[in-house]
Amino acid sequence: MSAEDRVAAALRALAEQTQAPIDGEHRLQDRLRREHRYRRAAAVMGSAAVVAGVALAVGNLGPSGTAMAPTPAPFASAASTPDPMASDLARLASEKAAAESSPSPSPAPTYPPPAADVAGPSTVITVESDGRYAFRDARRGTLLATGGSAGYRATAVTVAADGRTFYVAETKGTCGDWRVQRIRVSRTSRGVSGIGSDVQGVGGTTGEISSMAVTSDGNKLAYALAGVDPESRECTLFTLRVMNLSRASTRSWTGGAMLSALNWAPDGRTLLMHGQGCCGDYQPGVSRLDTGASGTTFDAAREVPGTGDAGSIGDGWVVSSTASSANEVFAAQESFGDPGAVRIVVLDPVSGRVRRTIADVIGVDTADALCVTNDGRHVLLSTGYDDYRIDDGRISHLGSSHDLRPIAW
């Protein structure tokens, strides 16, 4: 029997197994996701491991999408030759069985929706699944208005400290024409209205912006741009640019990582960022770049101590997202325990020392976006499909019916 026939037989065998306990299935999936983020790089996985992963996925879902429990696949004809694909599949099946029989974790708390009269921002800007940007109510998550240009999709959003000036980065197609719009928004009892205009000097014919941040005084706009590599024709040339909006002057840095979570420190000079390197594996950590110092590469930016400590992966805290009030830097610490948590703290951006803890959001383990108001009293946390407000330390669940990524207020 050929290798292709053995794979087909394994897929059929896995799909015919009995249903697994739901909470055991979920715990295994969570554990495997963490394992993937920290121990597996997609670029170095062999084709046999990829096929084994596909076989496991079919076993999990079954022919009609129901959860299934696989057992080791019968690669009988390969008995004379060790089959790394079969052993990998057997190992994963064994881990799955162990997860199914393990005690259930303590349930995560359920957070209430924001109070109708909660103070703080009333409007958030998001990027919707269809590529348009949208304004949503910051207390109920309901849609207020959408915007966008034909043929373009929004890729990044940010908000000035006044809470009324929004910036939207748009790209035409994939890595095509790109631009940034400034939208001044007003909200009344009748709804939301805005006046938009292109930010002059910020745009090009090939590229895509992955993250933006504006200083608290509104004078400088930082954005991370991926441009087209002339050799590969892929969007893999990474540039960081800072534009002085009042003087229309721009400074650039290049580097080897795609940047996200750009955030100006309160001094208006230090730029905090997360750099995602090769191969798709999650690489936590926050770097700080002195935009007033000499240099032309952001690869030289120093990592904030403790934010990406490899020794803490799995049972400690790591950081990839920060946000700043007028005087302090806030950080979202991620913990990959069971059930997981994101801890909002105030962080020293130089030493990495935690100055104080704001809140622990239990039951989530990723922070995709973090925003804070200028006074530091109101924090917005996006974990992908769930979004939370922390108002004066009180946690509320903004909603989970929409994937509000990216998001800003």
Side-chain angles (χ1 to χ4, degrees), residues 140-318:
R140 300 185 299 274
T142 52
L143 183 65
L144 300 173
T146 61
S149 305
Y152 283 80
R153 58 186 177 86
T155 62
V157 293
T158 192
V159 186
D162 62 9
R164 298 186 300 273
T165 305
F166 296 78
Y167 292 84
V168 179
E170 294 184 307
T171 294
K172 194 170 188 177
T174 301
C175 214
D177 293 348
W178 61 275
R179 65 188 183 187
V180 173
Q181 285 196 313
R182 181 192 290 112
I183 306 171
R184 302 192 188 278
V185 171
S186 59
R187 184 173 179 183
T188 67
S189 58
R190 296 183 178 181
V192 169
S193 62
I195 300 175
S197 60
D198 289 348
V199 178
Q200 297 300 313
V202 183
T205 56
T206 54
E208 181 173 315
I209 290 178
S210 59
S211 183
M212 295 188 297
V214 63
T215 50
S216 59
D217 61 11
N219 286 336
K220 290 187 286 188
L221 175 70
Y223 58 97
L225 178 69
V228 174
D229 187 319
E231 294 184 1
S232 67
R233 305 304 302 169
E234 296 180 348
C235 215
T236 54
L237 285 182
F238 303 118
T239 304
L240 171 67
R241 296 180 182 176
V242 172
M243 183 178 190
N244 187 306
L245 297 172
S246 60
R247 296 199 301 264
S249 59
T250 301
R251 183 178 175 187
S252 299
W253 295 259
T254 58
M258 182 176 70
L259 300 179
S260 63
L262 296 185
N263 169 45
W264 286 103
D267 62 10
R269 172 171 168 158
T270 303
L271 189 63
L272 303 173
M273 66 194 77
H274 171 234
Q276 180 64 38
C278 162
C279 310
D281 243 17
Y282 177 51
Q283 300 160 8
V286 172
S287 299
R288 56 184 176 88
L289 177 70
D290 183 352
T291 61
S294 61
T296 58
T297 174
F298 59 77
D299 287 338
R302 296 183 178 181
E303 185 173 276
V304 177
T307 60
D309 183 5
S312 69
I313 289 176
D315 58 1
W317 300 95
V318 294

Side-chain angles (χ1 to χ4, degrees), residues 254 333 348 362:
T254 58
Q333 294 183 317
D348 185 309
I362 308 298

Side-chain angles (χ1 to χ4, degrees), residues 1 7 17 37 107 196 214 216 234 254 277 303 334 389 396 403:
M1 181 182 292
V7 171
Q17 302 304 313
R37 292 174 72 176
V214 63
S216 59
E234 296 180 348
T254 58
E303 185 173 276
E334 302 170 336
R389 291 182 59 134
S396 58
D403 183 0

